[in-house]
Amino acid sequence: MSEQEKKQDYSAGNIQVLEGLEAVRKRPAMYIGDVGVKGLHHLVYEVVDNSIDEALAGHCDTISVAINEDNSITVRDNGRGIPTAMHPKEKKSALEVVMTVLHAGGKFDKDTYKVSGGLHGVGVSCVNALSSDLRATVYREGKIFQQEYKIGVPQYDVKEIGASDDRGTEVRFLPDASIFESTVYNYDTLAARMRELAFLNKGITITLTDLRHTDEEGKHIGEKFYSENGLNEFVQYLDRNREALLTDTVYFEGEKDGIPVEVAMTYNTSYTENIQAYVNNINTHEGGTHLSGFRRGLTNTLKKYATESGMLAKEKVEIEGDDFREGLTAVVSVKVAEPQFEGQTKTKLGNREVTAPVSQAVSQMLADYLEEHPNEAKTIVQKVILAAKARQAARKAREMVQRKNVMSGSGLPGKLADCSSKDPAECEIYLVEGDSAGGTAKQGRDRNFQAIMPLRGKILNVEKAMQHKIFENEEIKNIYTALGVRVGTEEDSKALNLEKLRYHKVIIMCDADVDGSHIETLILTFFFRYMKEMVEKGYIYIATPPLYQVKKGAKSQYAWDDNQRDRLIQEMKGSGAESSVGVQRYKGLGEMNAEQLWETTMNPEFRTLRQVTIENAAECDQVFSMLMGEDVPPRREFIERNAKYANIDV
Ligand code: 0RA
């Protein structure tokens, strides 16, 4: 190639790079999911994933993440450092290639088999493209190298900036405020993911520091996550607010048919099943072949044991798959070289070859455990038999709900004030705390598309109740019938039939006080445990009634928090005129009249709805078990910690 040709080739390469990054900036959602809070946090996961890969390849054991004062993020690891030498094909530093070429990531280290990788696995160049500033620093071969970028464009060639005995890579990036709806990081969201990563990749130390705040002693807030025993500890963490049935965890770690499999499980005294399944460190909400493998191994092994122990014959009950999963908490983690992700949210593993290895791993670990722990084996079988009996009672209760639907004409609950539209996409249902607020909402609503259903008092705590109690509960039956969804079948009580869903917005409207937030949590727990798909589809919302009305003469305005109230008081003071600056504190919805409720809380033009989402499935389960469980102190701490956000969250 002549010099001239080389030059042309070089610039052609550059143009390609720019086109790649331009595509990311044009359609960021295609690469990182969305440009909301989720996508913003996804940037961090993408960068951390690269360091996790380096750790899994055996070259790194410490990763530190810092939220800087300006909401930029620094991720540092002690790995080999991204190579900085000239890349033979691209004719520029390998570091620059990794940072600017889409999907360049692990290309030039074939021995490293990339197992982690964000949901989209798009690589750090996407983060670069979506950052107004990014600085990469590499500590390697006794030297320090650096390159900086703006919206993905290098500001200078990779340069040597000093000497150091350190090893590793540091990436500091500032998300582009013109792309993201919000650029403020949430500490708890990042902490939940870092904790999860530490459990999933034992032996790696991950620290998280929030440099935006200090505690009472002037220290920065932060945590260190490290797990010696991996999923063993993850399962114990998930169950830390529940009462254990087994003294220790059932655990397997190893390779089956070339697939790395790690599984841990235990039983608690609750009635809920909590299985978290991961593929390459990604939580697969929708399950898939690895989860099927887990279920198959569990059912076969326990059924065999129960039959051979003779305990079943005495009880004369038929046991089924579901019965083995009441009170079960388990985590399954597999590493798959070329995962096929399917399903609505691309979180369902499709690879057929994964089922057998997981099933074998589970059978082996359980068989060993049952043999070595005869007393606990007996406890498990007794629990399974109880579950089978309860399931028969639940089936009767469920059939009653279904039959009532068919028999009573419209089948709709008497308490429901339905809307006139029949198009689910535009229909909303308000689940309102109390009959009196329900009455106000009925007067205030737009009956064309807004339906109202009052709920009396506290709905059942589904976290503590057995299934048949749940289907016998009046309020819960009413919710099912009003929504028009069928109760799940016996095989999978959580499978909904959403085709018949009558409203695509289910809005929980409770008083802005302690009781109201408790009721809100009870209803959310019900949806999370029994209609999770509704939450995943984004159908569940929380209404936000105002806390104050600030009045002056004929003028009145509403405030949703104390700051806003104080600002309004100041404004009204400033606007001249005499005193009598009246502030009304709304403790309950009932204190508003129909018109006020419509104006502030129900009118789509002015209201703020908070959409309920599942950010982190494992954490979410944990939060509900804690909020609804027996233990008071963690609940109080959580509520106090989140209370200040409760009214500003949009
Ligand atoms: C490919 C090759 C080598 C290191 C890395 C990638 C690497 C990438 C990242 C991203 C974040 N931290 C990282 N650490 C390392 C090194 C190959 C060699 O030194 O022989």
Side-chain angles (χ1 to χ4, degrees):
M1 217 186 277
S2 72
E3 274 311 302
Q4 185 61 29
E5 280 171 327
K6 264 190 204 160
K7 251 193 195 143
Q8 270 182 357
D9 195 50
Y10 180 83
S11 51
N14 267 352
I15 288 167
Q16 255 180 3
V17 165
L18 280 179
E19 277 176 352
L21 295 189
E22 198 46 46
V24 177
R25 290 181 60 80
K26 248 191 194 139
R27 292 195 179 73
M30 260 188 55
Y31 297 85
I32 53 157
D34 65 47
V35 290
V37 179
K38 232 177 167 160
L40 181 75
H41 289 74
H42 195 95
L43 300 180
V44 184
Y45 308 153
E46 205 61 58
V47 177
V48 171
D49 276 342
N50 290 303
S51 299
I52 295 272
D53 278 335
E54 183 68 359
L56 292 178
H59 303 292
C60 150
D61 65 8
T62 307
I63 301 169
S64 68
V65 179
I67 313 171
N68 301 307
E69 252 176 289
D70 58 353
N71 271 292
S72 69
I73 297 283
T74 304
V75 178
R76 167 94 190 245
D77 67 47
N78 64 348
R80 292 167 295 176
I82 301 178
T84 51
M86 213 44 113
H87 191 271
K89 194 165 144 266
E90 304 276 350
K91 300 189 179 55
K92 47 185 132 175
S93 164
L95 174 61
E96 182 171 332
V97 176
V98 169
M99 299 308 298
T100 57
V101 179
L102 277 185
H103 306 290
K107 258 187 197 163
F108 44 100
D109 191 15
K110 291 212 176 63
D111 300 335
T112 328
Y113 134 67
K114 191 176 159 65
V115 285
S116 76
L119 185 50
H120 306 266
V122 287
V124 69
S125 60
C126 280
V127 178
N128 198 9
L130 300 175
S131 296
S132 43
D133 288 283
L134 187 146
R135 190 186 70 200
T137 313
V138 170
Y139 300 80
R140 211 182 139 88
E141 295 150 9
K143 294 174 182 148
I144 310 172
F145 303 90
Q146 198 164 71
Q147 188 170 37
E148 288 173 67
Y149 318 80
K150 287 185 190 301
I151 59 169
V153 180
Q155 300 299 295
Y156 49 81
D157 287 341
V158 173
K159 66 180 178 196
E160 208 182 302
I161 59 160
S164 168
D165 289 336
D166 287 352
R167 270 175 0 125
T169 306
E170 182 186 283
V171 173
R172 178 179 176 138
F173 66 93
L174 179 71
D176 189 338
S178 71
I179 299 243
F180 291 94
E181 285 160 13
S182 155
T183 48
V184 181
Y185 277 103
N186 182 306
Y187 177 85
D188 289 333
T189 304
L190 293 180
R193 177 60 181 159
M194 297 309 131
R195 179 182 299 114
E196 187 178 42
L197 282 173
F199 282 133
L200 290 166
N201 305 281
K202 59 181 172 189
I204 307 180
T205 301
I206 307 178
T207 61
L208 176 66
T209 317
D210 191 342
L211 298 171
R212 299 168 302 179
H213 311 287
T214 47
D215 62 15
E216 297 91 41
E217 290 160 34
K219 283 212 212 91
H220 289 300
I221 295 157
E223 276 165 284
K224 178 168 148 182
F225 304 107
Y226 171 82
S227 173
E228 177 99 42
N229 298 309
L231 300 192
N232 241 320
E233 283 166 308
F234 199 176
V235 159
Q236 281 164 18
Y237 173 79
L238 291 176
D239 259 3
R240 74 189 198 280
N241 300 309
R242 297 191 174 107
E243 200 185 321
L245 203 66
L246 309 182
T247 46
D248 49 18
T249 311
V250 191
Y251 183 69
F252 174 91
E253 192 208 1
E255 222 179 87
K256 291 262 172 202
D257 302 346
I259 295 175
V261 180
E262 194 182 348
V263 198
M265 58 171 269
T266 193
Y267 279 98
N268 58 60
T269 57
S270 84
Y271 305 106
T272 43
E273 161 197 332
N274 177 17
I275 309 177
Q276 304 292 338
Y278 293 85
V279 177
N280 302 351
N281 291 336
I282 298 161
N283 190 302
T284 37
H285 299 257
E286 297 176 277
T289 50
H290 54 330
L291 188 61
S292 308
F294 176 84
R295 291 193 166 144
R296 186 186 296 172
L298 179 82
T299 306
N300 289 349
T301 313
L302 281 181
K303 204 167 192 169
K304 184 159 174 274
Y305 185 90
T307 310
E308 286 173 2
S309 71
M311 288 168 77
L312 279 190
K314 264 197 293 206
E315 297 284 347
K316 294 196 182 66
V317 280
E318 277 287 320
I319 49 174
E320 289 179 11
D322 261 7
D323 304 329
F324 295 106
R325 304 203 296 270
E326 250 190 41
L328 171 73
T329 296
V331 182
V332 184
S333 170
V334 293
K335 304 272 160 79
V336 181
E338 283 182 49
Q340 303 297 316
F341 289 112
E342 304 170 348
Q344 288 228 334
T345 54
K346 293 270 174 273
T347 57
K348 182 175 182 181
L349 184 68
N351 304 52
R352 300 256 147 241
E353 72 278 11
V354 178
T355 306
V358 178
S359 163
Q360 283 166 24
V362 172
S363 296
Q364 185 188 323
M365 75 167 188
L366 253 183
D368 289 352
Y369 179 89
L370 295 171
E371 194 173 325
E372 286 162 23
H373 302 75
N375 287 333
E376 294 186 303
K378 212 165 147 189
T379 310
I380 296 176
V381 176
Q382 273 162 352
K383 180 167 177 84
V384 169
I385 290 170
L386 261 177
K389 289 181 176 167
R391 177 173 47 82
Q392 282 158 12
R395 185 197 326 161
K396 284 197 195 110
R398 215 171 17 237
E399 281 168 2
M400 290 301 286
V401 181
Q402 230 97 272
R403 192 166 314 144
K404 195 178 149 211
N405 266 348
V406 180
M407 281 166 49
S408 55
S410 80
L412 295 174
K415 290 167 74 166
L416 173 75
D418 206 8
C419 53
S420 38
S421 163
K422 294 287 168 255
D423 174 8
E426 69 165 8
C427 290
E428 308 176 343
I429 182 169
Y430 279 82
L431 303 179
V432 187
E433 170 187 355
D435 285 335
S436 112
T440 315
K442 282 179 192 177
Q443 288 166 34
R445 69 177 171 150
D446 181 335
R447 64 178 60 237
N448 286 315
F449 68 99
Q450 292 179 320
I452 308 292
M453 190 159 77
L455 298 178
R456 182 167 308 152
K458 304 218 159 167
I459 85 159
L460 188 72
N461 181 351
V462 299
E463 199 67 27
K464 286 192 198 161
M466 289 177 81
Q467 227 188 69
H468 67 96
K469 290 275 177 220
I470 292 161
F471 293 118
E472 280 161 15
N473 180 274
E474 249 347 281
E475 306 295 333
I476 287 177
K477 277 196 285 194
N478 281 343
I479 294 177
Y480 268 110
T481 38
L483 295 183
V485 296
R486 248 204 1 226
V487 182
T489 61
E490 188 157 347
E491 227 332 278
D492 189 352
S493 58
K494 276 140 209 164
L496 294 173
N497 181 350
L498 290 186
E499 279 154 46
K500 297 257 168 71
L501 179 66
R502 304 173 64 244
Y503 317 90
H504 283 188
K505 280 203 178 75
V506 176
I507 302 165
I508 303 166
M509 187 159 76
C510 294
D511 290 342
D513 62 9
V514 180
D515 264 0
S517 72
H518 189 220
I519 293 170
E520 201 170 86
T521 318
L522 285 166
I523 301 175
L524 282 177
T525 309
F526 164 69
F527 279 111
F528 181 70
R529 294 291 183 208
Y530 284 88
M531 296 199 185
K532 198 170 190 169
E533 219 184 312
M534 299 264 301
V535 185
E536 283 167 349
K537 289 227 160 87
Y539 291 157
I540 313 289
Y541 298 84
I542 296 171
T544 54
L547 286 184
Y548 303 99
Q549 184 184 35
V550 183
K551 254 196 198 147
K552 180 166 191 173
K555 241 176 95 178
S556 88
Q557 275 185 289
Y558 300 94
W560 274 259
D561 60 59
D562 292 5
N563 285 337
Q564 206 180 359
R565 173 201 59 193
D566 295 343
R567 243 193 348 264
L568 284 179
I569 295 174
Q570 287 306 321
E571 271 172 33
M572 290 202 178
K573 257 195 198 143
S575 71
E578 74 298 341
S579 60
S580 90
V581 181
V583 177
Q584 190 186 350
R585 163 81 166 100
Y586 291 124
K587 287 193 207 69
L589 295 163
E591 292 171 43
M592 278 184 271
N593 62 34
E595 194 188 334
Q596 288 169 326
L597 191 61
W598 164 254
E599 251 174 62
T600 59
T601 315
M602 297 177 70
N603 182 351
E605 249 183 276
F606 303 116
R607 72 183 176 194
T608 304
L609 294 182
R610 287 189 287 154
Q611 190 175 38
V612 180
T613 56
I614 300 178
E615 253 171 39
N616 184 307
E619 195 66 17
C620 206
D621 171 85
Q622 198 283 119
V623 167
F624 278 119
S625 76
M626 178 261 292
L627 285 175
M628 297 290 101
E630 315 281 343
D631 252 9
V632 177
R635 172 164 62 228
R636 182 173 310 138
E637 193 205 335
F638 178 87
I639 290 173
E640 279 171 7
R641 219 147 61 91
N642 286 279
K644 59 175 178 292
Y645 301 114
N647 299 310
I648 51 168
D649 197 345
V650 190

